Amino acid sequence: MSKHGSRAISGGRLLAVAVLLAAGYLVGVSTREAAVQAEVRRNEPVQEPFQTGDQRCEIVLREMSVTLNRLDARIERIEKLATQFANRDGQPLPVEIRSR
């Protein structure tokens, strides 16, 4: 192959790369969203960076405790309602509820 032929191939490759880069740029510019969305959370405790493992665990365990206390209160209300409905209909209470 002559020098002229290899220059034409490298020039064609250079042109192809330039066209692909331009196409990628145009696709990127056209698909970019104009708005940025962010959620601001208030009332959340600020966590210190670089906490030790036990400090992180303490926070998680407190959150779990609060959640479990809520669940216990809800279950207790459901059991009271079930007891009231069962007593109203004259049906015997289930063993689980009678034992409490």
Side-chain angles (χ1 to χ4, degrees):
M1 204 182 267
S2 68
K3 289 185 178 181
H4 179 66
S6 66
R7 285 185 183 170
I9 292 173
S10 65
R13 286 184 183 172
L14 182 62
L15 180 63
V17 168
V19 168
L20 289 174
L21 285 173
Y25 175 76
L26 290 175
V27 169
V29 168
S30 66
T31 59
R32 186 181 310 164
E33 292 185 22
V36 177
Q37 297 177 358
E39 182 179 339
V40 177
R41 294 183 180 183
R42 294 186 178 112
N43 301 332
E44 282 197 23
V46 177
Q47 296 183 357
E48 296 291 326
F50 306 111
Q51 291 179 331
T52 62
D54 61 335
Q55 290 172 334
R56 290 187 303 246
C57 289
E58 183 180 352
I59 293 169
V60 171
L61 290 173
R62 284 184 185 165
E63 291 173 0
M64 289 172 62
S65 175
V66 168
T67 303
L68 289 173
N69 286 337
R70 284 188 206 145
L71 288 172
D72 286 342
R74 290 177 185 171
I75 290 172
E76 186 176 340
R77 283 183 287 187
I78 290 171
E79 287 177 347
K80 285 180 183 177
L81 285 173
T83 304
Q84 290 173 356
F85 286 127
N87 286 340
R88 195 178 326 164
D89 295 337
Q91 298 174 354
L93 294 177
V95 177
E96 296 86 18
I97 297 176
R98 275 187 272 164
S99 63
R100 291 187 181 197

